[in-house]
Amino acid sequence: MKTIIIGAGLAGLAAAYRLTEDDIIIIEKDPEPGGMVSSYSLDGNHIEQYYHHIFAGDRALISLIYELGLAGKLEWLRGSTGYYINGQIYPMNTPFEILKALPFIDVIKLARLVLKAKTVKDTTPFDDITAKKWIIETAGQSVYNNFFEPLLDSKFGENKEKVSAAWLLGRVRIRSNRGTKGEKLGYMRGGFHELIEAMANSVRKNGGIIRQGNVSRIKISSGSVTGVVADGEHIDCDRVISTVAPDTLKKITCSEVTGHGTDINYQGTACALFGLAGQVMDGVYWLNIKENVPFGAVIEHTNFIPPSDYGEHLMYVTSYFQNPESVLWKSGDEKVIELYLEGLEKLFPGFGNKVRWWRLRRDIDTAPVYEVGYGKKILPYQTKIKGLYLAGMFSDANYPERSMNGSVVAGFRCAGAIKNTGF
Ligand SMILES: Cc1cc2nc3c(=O)[nH]c(=O)nc-3n(C[C@H](O)[C@H](O)[C@H](O)COP(=O)(O)OP(=O)(O)OC[C@H]3O[C@@H](n4cnc5c(N)ncnc54)[C@H](O)[C@@H]3O)c2cc1C
């Protein structure tokens, strides 16, 4: 069977990795595989273009890392978190530290909310309630205003009040595994580039091809896939696995043929990486921000992985944006960096003097917006078009939150669906 996979992100690579008996061609629009987990190469060191780490519950991803012989690279480190409130950074790693940042009564209510979230086994019934409503009902307006509202704002901006409680519950469960000393996060020393390389090499070793190309059409005739058009070239095949966002899928198939995915809303990300002459925050890795600045979080990577790995200090500054009219999407790179630098000076006076270089990565479709009712929009692995399969951030494995683990599982499940149907 000749199978074309559109997209060499984790979902596409994972599907190819499992479909060892097929003739695989992965067509990727970017020069290198990796998708959202692509890396910059800095004098031979690799660093993700978007900050990434693993959570303890990411079982499929962790097993894959072991299977690929990369266990030695996986490290579990404390990623210190903080919250910038009223001109001050409050560490937020332990229950004791959270006590210092929030009114005592809010901390009690927050703790109760977290405990309640942890007892929820099935998030489905929470798909129809907004996160805001659930938080206010469970912990009160003050906990919403002081703690969750700024976090929802930085994650979903103007869509924050549409997001479902199912998403929130999923998120709280992932992030509340802190104990008394704070949360441990997984990272691959050398970067997740190691994982992408190992997966791509394994696909190639099995005879698969990974090539650059922009797929503009999935060719369908009499209800069956017949091939794709990539950079004007017609390539025949028996099967297509699309891992692209639903909006792109709609453009390359004319949505009526799939009948799916036309109404899933995605958001974009504008993520800057700064190379710095020195440390900025005193040990804080991840800083959430309750302040009027044009970004939602600051992530000092070299407060997580030592700067000696890179020969300098590295810091991400990032914001999600909700529509193509956003200044973060419409403006040139320099303008976005100028905006970010203005905000950074406000938080860290003198920041500009430390900057050696910057890079900016932006994409319009970096995450689904998990709005109320999203659960009903999840796309199936197998479509009604014979030979057309889907796997990616829109799959069930990435609900109620998308992740590297989710896309690996989506790729595996899609390969499983193909093996089950035989076509
Ligand atoms: C800022 C940010 C931070 C994140 N942090 C974490 C984290 O800490 N931990 C975690 O687990 N997850 C994190 N994620 C999520 C994780 O990166 C994604 O869930 C996962 O990588 C998605 O993989 P995918 O293969 O489903 O999609 P993608 O990586 O988007 O892959 C789709 C691929 O399709 C290609 N493509 C699109 N259109 C075409 C076309 N027409 N022709 C050919 N190719 C095409 C794209 O270039 C892309 O390579 C983060 C994501 C972002 C944006």
Side-chain angles (χ1 to χ4, degrees):
M1 281 282 189
K2 185 170 171 186
T3 301
I4 289 182
I5 301 178
I6 309 172
L10 279 173
L13 289 171
Y17 179 77
R18 282 284 164 91
L19 289 171
T20 46
E21 282 153 30
D22 284 29
D23 280 342
I24 298 280
I25 304 176
I26 306 184
I27 305 180
E28 166 57 52
K29 73 173 168 50
D30 289 343
E32 299 290 335
M36 299 291 152
V37 202
S38 298
S39 297
Y40 298 117
S41 173
L42 306 172
D43 294 332
N45 294 317
H46 287 94
I47 175 79
E48 294 74 27
Q49 299 180 1
Y50 294 124
Y51 47 91
H52 273 81
H53 46 245
I54 302 182
F55 300 104
D58 290 345
R59 283 203 295 261
L61 179 59
I62 295 167
S63 303
L64 177 64
I65 289 170
Y66 274 71
E67 199 175 304
L68 289 164
L70 297 171
K73 308 251 176 196
L74 180 59
E75 294 188 6
W76 292 93
L77 305 161
R78 271 186 220 291
S80 162
T81 53
Y83 212 152
Y84 188 96
I85 308 171
N86 299 329
Q88 207 180 323
I89 294 179
Y90 290 90
M92 294 285 248
N93 302 296
T94 63
F96 183 68
E97 286 174 345
I98 295 173
L99 264 174
K100 288 189 187 162
L102 291 178
F104 180 71
I105 185 70
D106 283 358
V107 177
I108 301 292
K109 289 178 179 171
L110 181 60
R112 273 213 313 256
L113 178 145
V114 171
L115 286 176
K116 193 165 175 185
K118 281 180 161 182
T119 62
V120 175
K121 297 251 174 323
D122 177 14
T123 56
T124 318
F126 298 88
D127 196 52
D128 292 325
I129 310 166
T130 66
K132 179 179 179 180
K133 186 167 187 277
W134 187 78
I135 295 164
I136 293 172
E137 280 175 8
T138 311
Q141 188 75 43
S142 168
V143 170
Y144 177 76
N145 292 348
N146 291 327
F147 190 78
F148 285 106
E149 204 258 345
L151 298 180
L152 284 166
D153 194 43
S154 82
K155 184 95 183 165
F156 295 107
E158 69 212 38
N159 286 323
K160 68 183 172 213
E161 297 194 0
K162 297 183 187 163
V163 171
S164 76
W167 172 82
L168 182 86
L169 287 164
R171 195 74 198 159
V172 170
R173 274 193 305 192
I174 295 172
R175 297 309 302 259
S176 57
N177 194 14
R178 289 169 190 266
T180 50
K181 289 190 179 153
E183 184 181 29
K184 275 196 172 176
L185 300 169
Y187 188 75
M188 287 185 68
R189 216 59 183 264
F192 289 103
H193 169 77
E194 302 271 353
L195 170 68
I196 299 296
E197 272 288 295
M199 290 176 83
N201 286 341
S202 172
V203 170
R204 290 188 189 106
K205 206 169 143 200
N206 277 317
I209 294 167
I210 303 175
R211 53 169 273 193
Q212 192 177 4
N214 196 333
V215 174
S216 57
R217 195 103 204 116
I218 298 175
K219 296 197 306 177
I220 293 159
S221 174
S222 309
S224 298
V225 160
T226 59
V228 303
V229 181
D231 294 337
E233 184 190 346
H234 291 246
I235 311 168
D236 292 341
C237 65
D238 308 299
R239 242 191 243 131
V240 167
I241 302 174
S242 173
T243 71
V244 304
D247 214 36
T248 307
L249 178 68
K250 183 176 154 189
K251 285 184 196 133
I252 64 178
T253 56
C254 293
S255 64
E256 77 273 11
V257 296
T258 61
H260 299 293
T262 52
D263 55 352
I264 292 186
N265 203 1
Y266 266 54
Q267 57 181 358
T269 305
C271 182
L273 177 64
F274 289 96
L276 301 166
Q279 190 183 43
V280 176
M281 295 185 285
D282 187 13
V284 174
Y285 164 56
W286 186 291
L287 186 71
N288 290 311
I289 299 160
K290 189 183 175 193
E291 178 73 42
N292 188 18
V293 285
F295 44 82
V298 168
I299 299 140
E300 193 160 353
H301 181 76
T302 40
N303 282 345
F304 183 49
I305 301 299
S308 52
D309 277 24
Y310 309 96
E312 60 191 334
H313 295 255
L314 298 174
M315 186 189 228
Y316 293 100
V317 178
T318 188
S319 180
Y320 286 101
F321 56 86
Q322 305 302 314
N323 67 64
E325 294 310 308
S326 164
V327 66
L328 296 179
W329 184 244
K330 272 171 66 179
S331 314
D333 287 4
E334 279 76 14
K335 177 69 191 164
V336 175
I337 295 297
E338 195 184 307
L339 282 172
Y340 279 8
L341 283 172
E342 274 169 28
L344 287 160
E345 279 299 330
K346 212 164 142 183
L347 304 190
F348 314 111
F351 179 87
N353 300 331
K354 289 190 173 155
V355 176
R356 287 180 173 165
W357 53 263
W358 56 263
R359 305 272 179 96
L360 182 66
R361 166 99 193 233
R362 289 184 283 176
D363 288 279
I364 191 105
D365 47 11
T366 54
V369 179
Y370 292 100
E371 297 170 56
V372 163
Y374 179 92
K376 296 175 197 79
K377 299 180 186 173
I378 289 169
L379 300 190
Y381 294 106
Q382 188 175 7
T383 69
K384 61 183 184 180
I385 303 298
K386 194 172 173 200
L388 178 59
Y389 289 81
L390 311 174
M393 285 189 272
F394 43 76
S395 302
D396 59 2
N398 271 311
Y399 178 76
E401 172 66 313
R402 59 98 166 95
S403 65
M404 292 189 280
N405 185 71
S407 284
V408 166
V409 175
F412 287 171
R413 286 188 185 161
C414 184
I418 287 171
K419 285 181 182 172
N420 280 344
T421 54
F423 199 90

